[in-house]
Amino acid sequence: MTSESATGNHNMENGSFKYSYKIKTKESLALAVYNTGMQQCESGYSWGPAVRDHFLIHYVISGKGSYECAGKSYFLQAGDLFLVYPNEVVSYCADKDEPWQYCWVGFNGTEVQRMLNLTPFRHDNLVLSLPDQELYRRLIDIYEARGNKPTDELNMIGRLYLFLGKMVELQGANRPESDVTSDYIETALKFIQYNYSHSIDITSIAASIKISRSHLYRVFIKHLRLSPNDYLTQYRINRACALLRNSNLTISNIANSVGYDDPLYFSRVFKKVKGVSPTIYLKNIDLEDDETN
């Protein structure tokens, strides 16, 4: 079940406008668009300090503005992009003299961190300068594909893949070949993706890329701000959510399918991550479906 809302407003006096499209989507998907839009900001317009529950990329079309995160300030202009990570306190503000116009896409999913790892975006590299009209066009394409039909959702996701792919392509030549830690992360996330349903842990993940447990831990904390165990747990529980939504498997079978031999332990972990038990989560899904019928 997917719900959406579209908003738009235009201030004739100062020329500012905002068009936004939001989707109530599922964190259990590999990649999902949460929202998309574009805005010509008023002089000094600001957002935050606050947090998002998803990843968010803005592309500055024209004008200037500033972005603040983790005590650092960034000053941006046309052709710059900035990334907002989930659960990070951020704020951004349009320049008073030359307020920016930007477009954006918000997204999340079980494969997002692995995909972003292919780009130069990192927690210590939140701003990129990629003044390319095709990159801007692909971001606008996501907004233009908006809609509430399944085909619209797939088109938005497909265009998000194309946008991320173009960003990797444009910046690929500038990525240092010696960025070994990025290779470690990429290999580790693929290992988790392919083996999460088996009995794996931090030891087996480290062994798969031939580094020590402590080194793996440091790499994950640096790049993802999560320990390997926490990432594995979140990945498994998100896959369990997908099975709860899209299969008729029992909770015991779902536990086994995502790497937990003990259904009771699985339920405890699920509640710790999601705030509710698998049973309540499933009931909430049924209630959502009833509301849309």
Side-chain angles (χ1 to χ4, degrees):
M1 187 274 294
T2 302
S3 64
E4 71 295 320
S5 61
T7 61
N9 54 68
H10 202 129
N11 190 316
M12 299 299 293
E13 294 182 0
N14 58 26
S16 64
F17 63 81
K18 179 178 181 179
Y19 301 105
S20 176
Y21 189 81
K22 297 181 180 180
I23 302 167
K24 183 180 179 184
T25 190
K26 303 299 177 288
E27 73 280 1
S28 53
L29 296 176
L31 181 66
V33 176
Y34 274 42
N35 53 68
T36 179
M38 65 187 78
Q39 182 172 359
Q40 171 61 60
C41 297
E42 300 178 11
S43 173
Y45 170 86
S46 64
W47 187 92
V51 300
R52 303 286 190 179
D53 64 353
H54 55 275
F55 293 89
L56 186 66
I57 293 178
H58 284 75
Y59 182 92
V60 182
I61 302 169
S62 62
K64 299 177 182 179
S66 61
Y67 173 45
E68 293 189 10
C69 179
K72 294 183 179 180
S73 297
Y74 306 86
F75 298 94
L76 299 94
Q77 57 187 356
D80 291 342
L81 301 94
F82 65 94
L83 171 66
V84 176
Y85 277 88
N87 306 314
E88 297 276 341
V89 178
V90 304
S91 62
Y92 39 95
C93 181
D95 186 78
K96 291 184 178 180
D97 297 323
E98 299 179 58
W100 55 14
Q101 179 182 344
Y102 51 50
C103 51
W104 71 84
V105 61
F107 55 98
N108 215 334
T110 58
E111 289 300 295
V112 167
Q113 188 60 69
R114 188 180 72 82
M115 294 174 193
L116 284 178
N117 195 59
L118 298 173
T119 77
F121 276 132
R122 298 290 184 274
H123 276 95
D124 58 356
N125 192 34
L126 297 173
V127 174
L128 303 177
S129 182
L130 296 173
D132 184 274
Q133 284 300 308
E134 186 175 350
L135 188 68
Y136 157 67
R137 183 65 249 172
R138 290 190 182 187
L139 197 52
I140 295 297
D141 283 346
I142 300 171
Y143 178 75
E144 292 180 345
R146 68 195 183 279
N148 60 0
K149 299 188 296 293
T151 53
D152 299 324
E153 182 179 3
L154 291 174
N155 280 329
M156 293 176 73
I157 293 171
R159 295 181 187 195
L160 176 56
Y161 275 113
L162 291 173
F163 168 74
L164 293 173
K166 184 62 180 180
M167 192 164 61
V168 173
E169 175 188 326
L170 288 172
Q171 194 70 12
N174 298 324
R175 293 189 72 200
E177 294 182 6
S178 59
D179 193 359
V180 179
T181 57
S182 293
D183 293 336
Y184 286 156
I185 286 289
E186 174 68 10
T187 304
L189 297 187
K190 282 185 177 179
F191 180 82
I192 290 172
Q193 177 189 358
Y194 297 146
N195 297 280
Y196 71 91
S197 60
H198 304 297
S199 181
I200 62 172
D201 55 18
I202 187 172
T203 300
S204 53
I205 298 170
S208 73
I209 52 180
K210 298 179 174 59
I211 62 175
S212 68
R213 287 164 46 103
S214 58
H215 192 179
L216 179 68
Y217 179 87
R218 289 193 296 271
V219 168
F220 265 69
I221 292 297
K222 176 182 178 181
H223 286 268
L224 309 184
R225 295 195 176 180
L226 284 173
S227 71
N229 277 331
D230 286 343
Y231 181 88
L232 175 60
T233 296
Q234 288 191 13
Y235 191 93
R236 282 171 161 165
I237 297 305
N238 283 338
R239 297 310 303 158
C241 289
L243 291 174
L244 284 167
R245 289 184 173 277
N246 302 307
S247 78
N248 293 318
L249 294 174
T250 66
I251 290 176
S252 179
N253 287 337
I254 289 175
N256 290 332
S257 298
V258 297
Y260 293 95
D261 295 330
D262 184 348
L264 293 178
Y265 178 67
F266 163 72
S267 294
R268 289 198 297 272
V269 174
F270 189 101
K271 185 173 183 178
K272 182 178 180 181
V273 174
K274 294 298 178 183
V276 295
S277 69
T279 302
I280 297 300
Y281 186 90
L282 188 56
K283 287 181 179 178
N284 289 340
I285 293 171
D286 293 337
L287 288 174
E288 289 177 0
D289 290 340
D290 289 341
E291 290 173 357
T292 61
N293 292 334

